[in-house]
Amino acid sequence: MMHMGNVTVRDADSAQMVWRQIRRLMAEPDVVANDHRFMRRIGLTAGPVRMLRALLSSGPQPMHVLADRLGCDKSYVTGLVRPLLAKSRVTLEPDGSDGRVKIVSLTAEGRDLARDAQLVYDTPPMVLSAQTPETLERLRALLDMLQ
């Protein structure tokens, strides 16, 4: 058996298999269909919806902080903010201490939409919802060990 540092190839293969199964759950057809239905209904794509959810959990943020949080380039954040501004889901105001910095905030309508987006995001795939409470508790306990 080959070793890679402290991890054997078999361990790495097992981790890869588990990760593949987790990602497969996230891409279950019912999850994807639910996400797409929601985005079609509100007229936004995945990126702006992700920004709404980020703002819901963090509150108003400078654009450069949102870029870091979303793991994208600052110029990309501008493209995410534009459709949200056009639909009055966010406001963009200069920072009081540095006018070059722009703060993105949810409007009341944006907050409601972000809550809806979070509900859609939190909806588990049917295959997971179909499990017994005991199975779900065991799975939750195993996932808690990763925290």
Side-chain angles (χ1 to χ4, degrees):
M1 180 174 327
M2 191 170 113
H3 289 271
M4 301 177 335
N6 293 334
V7 178
T8 66
V9 171
R10 184 171 43 211
D11 293 339
D13 287 347
S14 293
Q16 187 179 47
M17 286 172 49
V18 168
W19 180 236
R20 207 175 274 148
Q21 288 175 307
I22 291 170
R23 292 192 61 132
R24 207 172 285 133
L25 277 174
M26 295 173 0
E28 279 288 311
D30 60 300
V31 172
V32 173
N34 199 26
D35 289 347
H36 285 220
R37 265 192 309 274
F38 178 73
M39 289 185 287
R40 269 194 312 275
R41 181 172 61 82
I42 65 170
L44 292 170
T45 59
V49 170
R50 190 168 166 233
M51 179 174 282
L52 286 171
R53 289 189 5 259
L55 288 166
L56 181 66
S57 66
S58 68
Q61 294 291 315
M63 288 180 69
H64 69 275
V65 171
L66 282 168
D68 290 343
R69 181 155 187 200
L70 296 172
C72 62
D73 188 74
K74 294 173 193 165
S75 63
Y76 185 68
V77 170
T78 302
L80 298 177
V81 167
R82 198 170 290 127
L84 296 172
L85 278 169
K87 293 178 176 277
S88 300
R89 303 314 203 270
V90 298
T91 60
L92 189 60
E93 302 292 332
D95 185 316
S97 60
D98 184 349
R100 297 170 299 173
V101 174
K102 303 296 183 216
I103 306 292
V104 184
S105 303
L106 290 171
T107 62
E109 184 180 345
R111 192 171 297 100
D112 290 344
L113 198 57
R115 286 186 187 116
D116 291 346
Q118 191 62 51
L119 286 172
V120 169
Y121 184 77
D122 290 340
T123 301
M126 287 187 283
V127 67
L128 196 57
S129 297
Q131 300 304 308
T132 66
E134 296 79 17
T135 298
L136 291 172
E137 182 54 34
R138 284 196 320 266
L139 182 56
R140 189 198 56 75
L142 287 169
L143 291 170
D144 283 349
M145 290 174 22
L146 301 176
Q147 305 275 340

